[in-house]
Amino acid sequence: MTNTEIRRFHLDVPQAQIDDLHARLANTRWPEAAPGDDWRYGTTNGYLRELAEYWRTSYDWRAAEAELNTYPQYVTEIDGQNIHFLHVRSPRADATPLLLAHGWPGSIVEFFDTVGPLTEPEDEGEPAFHVVIPSLPGFGLSGPTREAGWNSDRVAAAFVELMGRLGYERYGVQGGDWGAFVVVEMGKIASDRVIGVHVNAATYGFIPFGEVGDEERANLTDFERASLDRLAHYHAEGNGYFQIMATRPQTVAFGLTDSPVGLLGWIVDKFREWTGPRGGEGLPEDAVARDRMLTNVMLYWLTNTAASSARMYYEGMHTESWDFKPGVAPTGVAVFAQDVAVRRYAEGGNNIVRWTEFDRGGHFAAMEVPGLLVGDVRAFFAALAA
């Protein structure tokens, strides 16, 4: 018999886990630095040593835990999987339900700076939202997945069930990275319930297939050509993590699970490479506050979900997924400075009604430029309601 109970959740990590983390950090066996200790080889020794020491001696997990516990949290079981989520209702009677979906290597932490503005906008003329922020199955506080098949389509079906279980018959959805895959699919399988789909950090379904010829490229805008240049750089230099996790996720999982420094180096490389507009220059905390980035990493470490989150890549590439059926739900796309979506390619499979290009922000827009993301979400759903 299916258990549909929704239970309150309060996070209280045993001190023994924190002590173990600190001991592992103190006893790290460090590799030799690459020549010049240069970021072109990946995360550098100098940066990671300093960041790991800060994590061990200065970062305050209990403060982060207390912040997380200020949000109403719940867990429920869907399709045999534990689903953890935040559910923050707006005091406004006219608020629209809105599900926010994160990606990898993100978490619910991505959305902390958007919750207040979305649920209680300062301007009464702005739309308000009841926000539901799930931890993807296999990520963070939803805990590891323990069976095969948890691809983005299956996650989408679970989130449609979640919204129904919460009593929301009509709602909007927003997501980036894997979250974009999930919410686009929600718009397809629940088109009678999803009023609009808003995405950022969108890739598959929003980019060209194969090479773009010179004649076609000449007809693109400067912004679109820059997007294609970023996409080409990603394929040439930046998708090694994808290939590993899409083919051998369990092999890399041993190091990510046993070594906090291994996990930290794996994740902060993406916070440096994918934040904008510099992308690949400076330091990760130039775009995202150091403590917020570490809290994001903690949700992978404390829940032992490095392996299961990596498996989502394998499942996406090895199961019947990535629906080619065109989406009919009204779709808004926010393209930040490190994103790669191009409108003319996105329109082939999506009902695009809003397209916004920004010269700031990157992959983690909700952390980097929350005001821009919130503003675009508001404008998108306000136009749908007009």
Side-chain angles (χ1 to χ4, degrees), residues 231-246:
L231 183 61
H233 174 77
Y234 169 80
H235 285 305
E237 296 286 343
N239 76 338
Y241 79 98
F242 185 105
Q243 296 300 327
I244 291 172
M245 297 199 294

Side-chain angles (χ1 to χ4, degrees), residues 302-341:
L302 294 171
T303 59
N304 196 16
T305 52
S308 55
S309 64
R311 285 198 299 271
M312 191 165 184
Y313 287 83
Y314 183 94
E315 300 295 353
M317 297 298 291
H318 292 83
T319 57
E320 294 297 325
S321 185
W322 302 14
D323 188 358
F324 286 94
K325 180 177 66 177
V328 297
T331 301
V333 183
V335 187
F336 292 93
Q338 284 302 313
D339 290 343
V340 296

Side-chain angles (χ1 to χ4, degrees), residues 40 76 79 85 89 212 250 318 347 381 383:
R40 63 182 171 163
T76 192
D79 194 10
F85 60 99
R89 290 184 58 84
V212 175
Q250 199 63 20
H318 292 83
E347 287 178 335
F381 285 103

Side-chain angles (χ1 to χ4, degrees), residues 12-324:
D12 186 11
V13 173
Q15 184 59 39
Q17 285 189 253
I18 308 302
D19 294 341
D20 175 71
L21 167 64
H22 290 167
R24 289 171 184 266
L25 290 170
N27 293 320
T28 298
R29 184 187 184 198
W30 292 92
E32 287 296 314
D37 204 21
D38 194 313
W39 279 94
R40 63 182 171 163
Y41 292 100
T43 307
T44 66
N45 276 41
Y47 174 73
L48 204 64
R49 277 180 177 269
E50 193 274 328
L51 183 60
E53 182 65 8
Y54 177 88
W55 192 9
R56 185 179 74 87
T57 61
S58 301
Y59 170 77
D60 186 350
W61 163 250
R62 293 305 179 192
E65 184 180 67
E67 181 183 13
L68 201 153
N69 282 327
T70 63
Y71 299 104
Q73 298 175 79
Y74 304 86
V75 291
T76 192
E77 182 181 316
I78 300 176
D79 194 10
Q81 171 65 33
N82 186 65
I83 304 290
H84 165 272
F85 60 99
L86 310 183
H87 186 196
V88 186
R89 290 184 58 84
S90 171
R92 292 254 299 267
D94 64 342
T96 299
L98 177 66
L99 180 139
L100 303 173
H102 67 82
W104 184 91
S107 68
I108 58 172
V109 172
E110 286 189 55
F111 297 109
F112 281 3
D113 293 331
T114 70
V115 172
L118 287 171
T119 57
E120 298 188 63
E122 293 182 4
D123 185 345
E124 292 186 3
E126 296 283 3
F129 302 88
H130 304 305
V131 297
V132 178
I133 310 176
S135 301
L136 293 183
F139 288 67
L141 295 169
S142 283
T145 48
R146 293 186 170 84
E147 61 181 23
W150 276 101
N151 58 25
S152 55
D153 290 1
R154 188 170 177 182
V155 175
F159 286 179
V160 168
E161 169 65 22
L162 173 62
M163 294 301 278
R165 200 171 286 186
L166 292 173
Y168 294 135
E169 297 181 359
R170 298 276 289 165
Y171 51 87
V173 293
Q174 198 287 326
D177 189 76
W178 277 119
F181 283 74
V182 170
V183 299
V184 167
E185 181 63 17
M186 291 177 72
K188 294 178 180 181
I189 65 176
S191 59
D192 58 332
R193 282 164 276 180
V194 174
I195 62 175
V197 175
H198 186 279
V199 297
N200 67 290
T203 53
Y204 174 82
F206 297 82
I207 55 177
F209 288 103
E211 295 292 325
V212 175
D214 291 341
E215 183 177 348
E216 184 176 353
R217 184 180 175 89
N219 292 321
L220 300 177
T221 67
D222 289 344
F223 189 97
E224 289 172 336
R225 282 191 288 271
S227 293
L228 290 187
D229 289 344
R230 287 190 293 272
L231 183 61
H233 174 77
Y234 169 80
H235 285 305
E237 296 286 343
N239 76 338
Y241 79 98
F242 185 105
Q243 296 300 327
I244 291 172
M245 297 199 294
T247 57
R248 292 294 185 270
Q250 199 63 20
T251 301
V252 72
F254 295 105
L256 300 180
T257 300
D258 186 61
S259 168
V261 164
L263 179 65
L264 184 65
W266 190 245
I267 289 179
V268 300
D269 178 70
K270 302 310 168 198
F271 272 85
R272 179 179 186 270
E273 187 72 17
W274 293 347
T275 49
R278 357 156 299 282
E281 298 179 2
L283 296 175
E285 55 261 40
D286 294 340
V288 176
R290 175 176 283 200
D291 283 11
R292 185 58 53 85
M293 184 169 60
L294 288 172
T295 299
N296 181 76
V297 174
M298 286 290 278
L299 288 187
Y300 285 88
W301 177 259
L302 294 171
T303 59
N304 196 16
T305 52
S308 55
S309 64
R311 285 198 299 271
M312 191 165 184
Y313 287 83
Y314 183 94
E315 300 295 353
M317 297 298 291
H318 292 83
T319 57
E320 294 297 325
S321 185
W322 302 14
D323 188 358
F324 286 94

